[in-house]
Amino acid sequence: MTDHDFELIDRYWRAANYLSVGQIYLLDNPLLREPLATAHVKKRLLGHWGTTPGLNFVYAHLNRIIRDRDLSVLYICGPGHGGPGMVANTWLEGTYSEIYPDVPQNAAGMHKLFRQFSFPGGIPSHAAPETPGSIHEGGELGYALAHAYGAVFDSPDLIAACVIGDGEAETGALAASWHSNKFVNPRVDGAVLPILHLNGYKIANPTILARMPPEELRSLLVGYGHEPIFVEGNDPRTMHRLMAAAFDEAFDKIAAIQAAAREGGDNERPRWPMIVLRSPKGWTGPDVVDGKMVENFWRSHQVPVSGVHSDPAHRQILEDWLRSYRPEELFAEDGSLLPDLAALVPDGDRRMGANPAANGGRLRIELDLPSVDAHAVAVPTPGGSRGEATRVLGAYLRDVMVRNKDARNFRLVSPDEASSNRLDAVFEVTERAWMERIEPYDVHLADEGRVMEILSEHLCQGWLEGYLLTGRHGMFACYEAFIHIVDSMFNQHAKWLKVTRDIEWRAPIASLNYLLSSHVWQQDHNGFSHQDPGFVDLVANKKADVVRLYFPPDANTLLCVADHCLGTYDRVNVIVAGKAPAPQWLTMEEAKRHCEAGIASWPFACNVADGETPDVVIAAAGDVPTIEALAAVDLLRRKMPKLRIRFVNVVDLMALQPKDRHPHGIDDADFDVLFTTDRPVIFAYHGYPYLIHRLTYRRANHNNIHVHGYQEEGTTTTPFDMTVLNELDRFHLAIAAVRRLPDHGGEEGRAAIRYCEKRLAAHRLYVEAEGVDMPEIQDWGWPYATAADAGD
Amino acid sequence: MTDHDFELIDRYWRAANYLSVGQIYLLDNPLLREPLATAHVKKRLLGHWGTTPGLNFVYAHLNRIIRDRDLSVLYICGPGHGGPGMVANTWLEGTYSEIYPDVPQNAAGMHKLFRQFSFPGGIPSHAAPETPGSIHEGGELGYALAHAYGAVFDSPDLIAACVIGDGEAETGALAASWHSNKFVNPRVDGAVLPILHLNGYKIANPTILARMPPEELRSLLVGYGHEPIFVEGNDPRTMHRLMAAAFDEAFDKIAAIQAAAREGGDNERPRWPMIVLRSPKGWTGPDVVDGKMVENFWRSHQVPVSGVHSDPAHRQILEDWLRSYRPEELFAEDGSLLPDLAALVPDGDRRMGANPAANGGRLRIELDLPSVDAHAVAVPTPGGSRGEATRVLGAYLRDVMVRNKDARNFRLVSPDEASSNRLDAVFEVTERAWMERIEPYDVHLADEGRVMEILSEHLCQGWLEGYLLTGRHGMFACYEAFIHIVDSMFNQHAKWLKVTRDIEWRAPIASLNYLLSSHVWQQDHNGFSHQDPGFVDLVANKKADVVRLYFPPDANTLLCVADHCLGTYDRVNVIVAGKAPAPQWLTMEEAKRHCEAGIASWPFACNVADGETPDVVIAAAGDVPTIEALAAVDLLRRKMPKLRIRFVNVVDLMALQPKDRHPHGIDDADFDVLFTTDRPVIFAYHGYPYLIHRLTYRRANHNNIHVHGYQEEGTTTTPFDMTVLNELDRFHLAIAAVRRLPDHGGEEGRAAIRYCEKRLAAHRLYVEAEGVDMPEIQDWGWPYATAADAGD
């Protein structure tokens, strides 16, 4: 590269910096064609300068190498609040104006660009769904590297250049993400180039990685499996040369690694290059303001010089700062970028703002889904067969793997729990991804595995998000209790989806599908610490059109639900399903109808027709609650043969909500037919009871709905005893039903209650002596072929 | 150490291993005095063997060095499911039987010890609140190292020996925790000795740290700032010698570091020693079962040989395994540990099961709290002064720091947000803890700072938990949205507290206090990604006696709430309070009464007396909702002077619940007096509206309660516009009230609605033109001195 080349890059960088400062400060006079006046600056100064010049520096140099080598590069902007930089660069390269024609590449467009930033009705201050080229919201920190890796899995031609802020690097999710390089296969995956940006400061503190001794930092990065290349300094002239050389070296290495792996030979995990960019926070901004150090210190984090609206001296600092970029050397008379700078921009989709991976829906190919019928569990009579729901799903997922093998667009992620959650069938056709040493006695490890396991829910979630956002599909199988580890990541993804639904140019992406198993009622190995069914409560807080909650009661319904979810887009689907052997209720045909309805009475367990009014409704959502509720129905029908009972099962929890609250909500009229308007409803629910109240509080019969669910009681005990501790068991449900009848069901009702109490006492004695549940409870299944048989 | 010494340690280790296996398998015949029969083994085999022999190995060697050097060592057992080992060791050393006299140190006690493990009515399979010597639940993984560091801050004589599983090491929280060593001051804090236990496998996968090339691992640990000492092998004889030497070296180094720092001189961050213990998973267990490799593989994770109840060959493997420890060389005829082994146990409280730090409530000294009166904000008339609530709290916390300076038992933790949340006053008397290099221009950094800032919510939470669990006090100040990052840690801590409340020997510990600021209504800098008020929904799922939710509406109420929370124990207190300048409502005397009541009408804003029935109730919980609700009251009273309005403010959200659901719940009669039984209630709430419904759905007037809250709508916009987007603003509240009146309030009501709609349109035009809120909205405060003045 010649001096002239570097001069061009420097001018391009100055243009991006100028536009970044302009966005934070200017309402008008965008090209500084007149002296800066009060009326030209915003009243409310919002936004973040500190990280921006470094981000712009990286962008300019990436443009250079993309053009030189015709690369496909995705820019992942990890530092918080890098919005001004990302927006500035996409405007410079033209992608911004192509997507938003009302912000053209001229003076009027620049005026609009500045005004809209952090302005009501405008755009946010960080990279966001609105930002071209972004799959990563720079809001909550920590997920950049996981997103980058997710993006390059199965994308052999893609390189994710991932800028990691040194603040972000202190988070747990980011700290764990470094080991993602143990899962990248250079033969079939793309590459991640981490660019650790040490600008030294957070909001009001130095950063750990910037202050630790340099040799310790190098050791750490080598320990992470990287070959770090250091670019350090503050003189732009020198830094441009260092950065260009560093990128040449890094991209050479990536090319060499990929070439070696793709030409065959052994495929050992390589030492991937990475870059450490140590540059001043607020680089090129004001040095000192009011006698206080600003550049290269945390005071440049947000708005380095404030009060510019009222303080002429501060306004002068701003004007000097803006003019220091010499806009007249950057922009033409009409406000467009000068041609020699515009020539630095890569072509078409090679521009990072236009990289197809950043709008992954454009690349999405629908999954080829197997028939659920082929996997149906035979259910000769309700409860007449047993099965393990997630094991059945495992076989279905195996076939998903097979049918989409060539498309290479489906992965299963799990924190070391795929087998524990009984999805092993997938290992008949694929392996766990693993690039470390493989021993002869290892089982189901391979460099090309499509199952990703690491003991980090953060990475499972982050990888899958990156994978989905770049146009692919997947499922996250997790212990129910520990999915809370990614509550905040879920929040951010749901927010991203909510916003993208209003952005026309963003093509829909595949839904994020959670399979939550080893759930609260199946923790006999683990106990209280593993019992928390509250993730769905968090999910229910999000926008109705983005979230779905499913509680399939058996294997066939689980298949139908999973099959449906894998075909949806722009949603988060949560499926809660057990792994323990359990009675099966519905044939595949019945399961399809049930899942279609979302909520329905099960005729085999009712002794009233759908049009009639029962004495009591017993309802259930969840697999274990369904067993206990049906056992309660059975018990009541034997002890109180004249009692008229309707049994209702809810597979799609959102169906409980009014139609105006959720698209899946059923009509009030239909709800009232099922639940009546005045009869007691005993509702056995998988999770914390409140969610059922919250979803039904607008329904006519709400005051009669009595929910039994998890009461935050538990320990290491038998599965049935767990339900007893939380009063979700058949006996407590039956007692609750009888107590709500007129006169408590009379003599028959009192006898039923006495019977239940005796059985509870017998249970207590038995488990404490034997350590297992009574055989008649373990083996219970609905003992009748039809409703007419029951109660005989 | 002599060969005999090593022989003794080996026998002690065998005893612990024997007891661990016994717990997993045996119902009877604990000392194997007869051949093992079906009746002797449990029907349901639960528990985890894999990690246990390594944990026992560490325990035995720690006992040795504690005795040799008279050390105070806290054992933090990070790997999941190390329960059998912790229980075995505390039984051997006598602490278990002292706490649980029904499990004595003899054959009968051993019988009970075995039976109770993972048995209904017994104890969990992992280190738990029930386990002596434990402050750390081995349930959800990742928090061991953070807990260890929290324990040693301000405990100069304590050494936390923290065993980190190589599975756990993959989690985000643990990966971030390594940098905790940048915050330990050897002069005034204790020390952490990390013991990375590489047994190679998780549930069904190898671990990353165990499989990476050894030189890379060393580089990583050096990069973390440690001097690693490696203890690697599988031959017990050799391993005992390596381990003893490693401990000698590590404890020598710790002693030298502390001596140097405490004797004065410069206090540079030292390179702390750590140990890498690479030993086989399931060490000393069955090699091969049914032709499959078990020892040194993941198959030994849980129960290495199953089916022992029915399969005689498997039972024989178990018996051979148990006898391989030669129990006759370990236990006396009566089942007690042989005297030469019992002599290896440290004395009294030096036993790790009896270390006072592990039952921190025993060490807890009440905080000396300053008077809130000294910090009271003057409130001449309601809304007649303005203040920033958290800034006022900062001055109070400064005084807490001062008054408890000598006790050294209070810390403030925050993810780089203490200043952003306006708590800066604390820096008048202390600094941020920082052991890295300090530059001359740095601000408020020192090696002895009592404010802990790192950009990791996980570490803030983990450190504080460790600090509280060992008998100290603290507060966690966090952005409201990002507290979700520690949802799962909160869950685990709340579960811990719930269980400890039923454990008599556990002394109460100080409550975990959250201050959530920069909340959903104050995100004009950040936007949608920073808006999530749902943490309280998660908290409300936990046991009522453990959790409290406070929404102080102004500075004086915030002071009262914080003052109260800092004096409580065994709870989680969540305080949500803003940092923006805002009108102040209550004098300190009024604030005290209000906080005492939890919920009350505010006479100055009501034009009905407490006994009368209003036409409408306007209620608020939260600072911004209180402003908007009061502005709505003002508006309505001006536009509809005859309308009878009661204004109710809720500071303690749990007061909304029925008394039988929460100890803070108010009587139904009192609730009905405030909210009526039949009048519309417009409830302005800080968070997701559902929580108010959930808390009030059993109240008589619930069907008339209309909640306005966060509807998951937001972007970067002005503060008032945020309330408009979510219909929480004064105009929407007033419209909602009028619409619920008979005949929509008649002509006056229709005029009021038209007025509100016009004002909303004017607001929209103004913010989109000016980028700021209209001055009359920015400056609004209750403009009257008394209720009688209002509406004039």
Side-chain angles (χ1 to χ4, degrees), chain A residues 43 203 487 495 531 770, chain B residues 43 416 487 495 531 770:
Chain A
K43 285 183 187 161
I203 300 178
D487 275 4
K495 282 175 179 285
Q531 294 160 357
E770 301 290 327
Chain B
K43 285 183 186 160
D416 189 31
D487 276 3
K495 281 176 178 283
Q531 294 160 357
E770 301 291 326

Side-chain angles (χ1 to χ4, degrees), chain B residues 423-581:
Chain B
L423 302 172
D424 309 74
V426 297
F427 299 118
E428 296 167 19
V429 299
T430 189
E431 313 285 354
R432 298 178 173 96
W434 188 253
M435 288 294 300
E436 291 289 1
R437 198 179 70 243
I438 296 178
E439 302 289 355
Y441 47 80
D442 276 328
V443 182
H444 295 315
L445 298 183
D447 59 357
E448 283 202 36
R450 306 198 67 71
V451 178
M452 315 282 297
E453 298 222 66
I454 185 168
L455 213 164
S456 164
E457 287 77 2
H458 289 111
L459 284 183
C460 291
Q461 171 91 14
W463 290 345
L464 182 55
E465 286 178 0
Y467 200 64
L468 300 176
L469 286 160
T470 51
R472 283 79 62 79
H473 306 260
M475 182 171 274
F476 181 0
C478 191
Y479 281 12
E480 180 188 51
F482 301 152
I483 197 68
H484 275 298
I485 292 171
V486 295
D487 276 3
S488 215
M489 297 183 79
F490 154 77
N491 271 345
Q492 296 299 322
H493 189 70
K495 281 176 178 283
W496 176 280
L497 292 178
K498 188 254 184 191
V499 175
T500 57
R501 285 179 162 238
D502 294 331
I503 298 176
E504 213 173 307
W505 60 269
R506 287 235 175 235
I509 61 167
S511 298
L512 200 169
N513 302 303
Y514 292 101
L515 173 70
L516 306 186
S517 193
S518 304
H519 61 51
V520 55
W521 307 109
Q522 297 172 345
Q523 287 303 334
D524 27 333
H525 265 271
N526 299 304
F528 192 48
S529 66
H530 287 50
Q531 294 160 357
D532 191 297
F535 181 65
V536 293
D537 299 313
L538 182 89
V539 173
N541 276 342
K542 295 297 151 198
K543 276 291 177 188
D545 52 356
V546 170
V547 295
R548 301 286 185 271
L549 306 175
Y550 296 100
F551 288 85
D554 68 2
N556 286 337
T557 48
L558 173 58
L559 285 172
C560 291
V561 165
D563 179 68
H564 168 76
C565 291
L566 288 173
T568 65
Y569 50 85
D570 279 352
R571 283 191 202 140
V572 176
N573 298 306
V574 183
I575 309 170
V576 182
K579 65 182 186 182

